[in-house]
Amino acid sequence: MRSVALVLAIMLLGGQPAVGSTNVWLARALSAAVSTRDAMDSVRAFDAIAKANGGNREAGRPGYERSREYVERVLTRAGYRVYAQPVPFLAFRVDTEKLAAPGEVKVLMAQFVPSGKVTGQLARAAQAGCQVADYRPGTAIAVVPSGVCPIGDKAVAARDAGVRAVLVYDVSPVPDTIIRRRAVGTPLPVGFISQRSAESLPAGIATLELSGRAVESTTVNLFAETSGGREDSIVMAGAHLDGGADGPGINDNATSVAAVLETAVRLAPYQRKAPNKVRFAFWGAEELVNVGSTHYVDTRTPEQLAAISLYLNWELIASPNFVRFVVDGDDSDHPDTGAPAGPPGSGEIEAVLSEGYRVQRLPFRTADLNDIRSDQEPFARAGIPIGGAFGGVRGVKTAEEAAVFGGTAGQPYDPCYHQPCDDVSNVHVGALGEAMRGMAWAVGRFAVDDDVRR
């Protein structure tokens, strides 16, 4: 604990973290050894897998299985014993998604909503669509913006107003973006269209046809761990291996997987030297809301959970309009914002993740836990200290962030999030290398000393 306290004290004084103490020998070795070029080889491999398998790497689909096989081969060659955990889950398969209004307009069916074919008057809601009064009488297909209230609330209000289907669009600096999302429990068919389509659609007669079905499926979580290290002191580091249904899933999340994979390969020669066991995790079905990681945590015994000292998670680390974000594990520095805090010990993890950027003399920002909903959440619910880093998702880069990190103010961190354009061209290679070196620093640091307060 004295080493973490020393790091915190130096950070508060504005200096560089202490890197000469004995607990950072492996952190320095790993952060120096990881190769951006080798990580990009993995990124390109995942891109090729997606292109050869229907354009995606969705859980339960061939692209995911080929991705899993690739990760397993790399880890096995590095000398790890690799094992998988089957994960049952409910998938959603779309059969038809078509909007004629007039002409063909691209529409994506929401996941887990009713199917239906509706012909009738199409009209935009007067407001956000959260109230019955927002819908014009006689509307059969309503067009509403996202936000203000959940999609389910909009659908209920629409139904009560006599509407038979709802089309939702995001107000975005990238007006052609369409993002498919879950809308569990809605009483009406729901589809997503782009802002440009929503603004250009004339009121009039339209036909919307949406049909899909929930199907029982199985995916896997993949694991590799060091052969040495304490069984009662396990450091976990992971990223989700699956992508969304509508794109290759390269920044989200092949970049993070490639970085975790490269970190594992460079740690392999130290498997019996590191005092703590390190377990690398590659999660399935995160895009359906942390299904794989939740299944893993839920199937651990109390003793197995107690043996996990901490969990580190990475997401979208190479966003093209990136900011270096570190998850804020401790809300004590801004108690009035209502930002959630991680379990005890998470603030100390934040300090070490921050140290991974400080030793590179790179600026970073902290972000609260709600800014990146991902596989750290089930660990946090189980009381395990968590931390993570990411490059920005759908948020819009501020002028201050552009001045510090470069890029374009007023544009999303990742304009291709869950889009067909999330391919290898959507990767900021420099950000990938910087985040990976920070990742390797944290993994090496905790592999030697994981003494965090719980």
Side-chain angles (χ1 to χ4, degrees):
M1 290 312 304
R2 288 192 299 272
S3 59
V4 174
L6 178 60
V7 169
L8 285 168
I10 292 174
M11 289 170 62
L12 290 171
L13 291 172
Q16 294 297 317
V19 297
S21 55
T22 57
N23 67 348
V24 299
W25 64 270
L26 186 53
R28 287 188 293 185
L30 291 184
S31 59
V34 290
S35 164
T36 303
R37 182 178 63 183
D38 290 351
M40 280 301 301
D41 285 344
S42 291
V43 170
R44 283 187 281 269
F46 291 125
D47 187 64
I49 286 169
K51 284 182 170 64
N53 290 278
N56 68 69
R57 300 184 306 103
E58 183 184 12
R61 296 288 199 175
Y64 184 83
E65 288 305 304
R66 302 294 85 77
S67 298
R68 177 192 61 78
E69 291 167 359
Y70 176 84
V71 171
E72 189 167 2
R73 284 196 303 272
V74 172
L75 291 169
T76 301
R77 284 200 303 265
Y80 288 99
R81 181 181 71 85
V82 183
Y83 58 99
Q85 178 193 33
V87 179
F89 74 104
L90 197 64
F92 190 83
R93 305 296 184 221
V94 174
D95 297 313
T96 305
E97 42 192 13
K98 184 183 299 184
L99 173 62
E104 294 298 320
V105 178
K106 184 177 180 180
V107 59
L108 300 179
M109 184 179 186
Q111 295 169 320
F112 304 102
V113 300
S115 298
K117 184 175 182 179
V118 177
T119 298
Q121 185 72 25
L122 180 147
R124 293 181 65 177
Q127 299 294 330
C130 301
Q131 307 294 328
V132 171
D134 292 346
Y135 297 92
R136 294 180 176 88
T139 299
I141 304 169
V143 180
V144 301
S146 62
V148 181
C149 66
I151 291 172
D153 292 352
K154 296 175 191 285
V156 169
R159 178 202 61 192
D160 293 347
V163 175
R164 291 184 285 146
V166 174
L167 295 172
V168 181
Y169 66 95
D170 291 326
V171 178
S172 169
V174 187
D176 292 316
T177 296
I178 314 174
I179 298 177
R180 189 191 308 275
R181 297 192 287 278
R182 292 162 53 98
V184 178
T186 62
L188 300 175
V190 175
F192 298 102
I193 60 175
S194 71
Q195 178 183 344
R196 193 182 303 279
S197 293
E199 292 173 346
S200 62
L201 280 173
I205 301 301
T207 297
L208 174 66
E209 185 175 3
L210 299 174
S211 64
R213 64 203 189 283
V215 297
E216 293 183 356
S217 188
T218 302
T219 187
V220 297
N221 296 323
L222 201 65
F223 302 96
E225 61 186 42
T226 54
S227 55
R230 293 173 52 187
E231 297 281 353
D232 64 344
S233 190
I234 299 170
V235 173
M236 289 195 67
H240 72 86
L241 181 56
D242 65 313
D246 300 298
I250 299 306
N251 184 43
D252 180 19
N253 193 37
T255 53
S256 298
V257 169
V260 174
L261 195 57
E262 171 66 2
T263 301
V265 168
R266 301 300 176 174
L267 179 62
Y270 302 95
Q271 285 195 66
R272 293 197 171 276
K273 297 180 181 178
N276 301 312
K277 185 173 289 295
V278 179
R279 180 177 298 156
F280 295 99
F282 303 87
W283 306 113
E286 185 273 351
E287 296 292 1
L288 292 172
V289 191
N290 308 331
V291 170
S293 54
T294 298
H295 181 73
Y296 176 78
V297 170
D298 288 349
T299 55
R300 299 305 92 193
T301 66
E303 293 76 18
Q304 288 171 328
L305 289 175
I308 301 172
S309 298
L310 56 96
Y311 174 69
L312 307 171
N313 193 74
W314 281 273
E315 274 267 16
L316 293 96
I317 60 172
S319 297
N321 199 26
F322 74 96
V323 168
R324 301 180 197 96
F325 286 115
V326 172
V327 171
D328 189 348
D330 182 1
D331 66 352
S332 62
D333 54 345
H334 45 67
D336 297 329
T337 66
S346 301
E348 295 165 82
I349 295 172
E350 176 197 339
V352 172
L353 290 166
S354 301
E355 186 181 62
Y357 284 127
R358 288 182 182 273
V359 295
Q360 300 180 68
R361 300 185 181 275
L362 294 172
F364 62 91
R365 295 289 182 270
T366 57
D368 75 56
L369 288 169
N370 285 335
D371 287 346
I372 186 72
R373 310 297 301 273
S374 188
D375 293 302
Q376 74 275 0
E377 291 187 328
F379 288 89
R381 288 194 294 270
I384 295 169
I386 54 93
F390 63 106
V393 190
R394 297 181 63 202
V396 174
K397 178 171 269 187
T398 67
E400 184 273 337
E401 290 169 344
V404 174
F405 299 96
T408 305
Q411 292 296 310
Y413 303 118
D414 183 356
C416 288
Y417 175 73
H418 281 208
Q419 303 297 299
C421 59
D422 186 19
D423 57 19
V424 71
S425 68
N426 192 47
V427 173
H428 193 293
V429 178
L432 169 62
E434 292 162 354
M436 180 173 61
R437 287 188 289 274
M439 175 191 301
W441 178 274
V443 170
R445 165 67 174 75
F446 286 123
V448 174
D449 178 6
D450 65 347
D451 186 16
V452 297
R453 296 187 187 94
R454 294 182 65 173

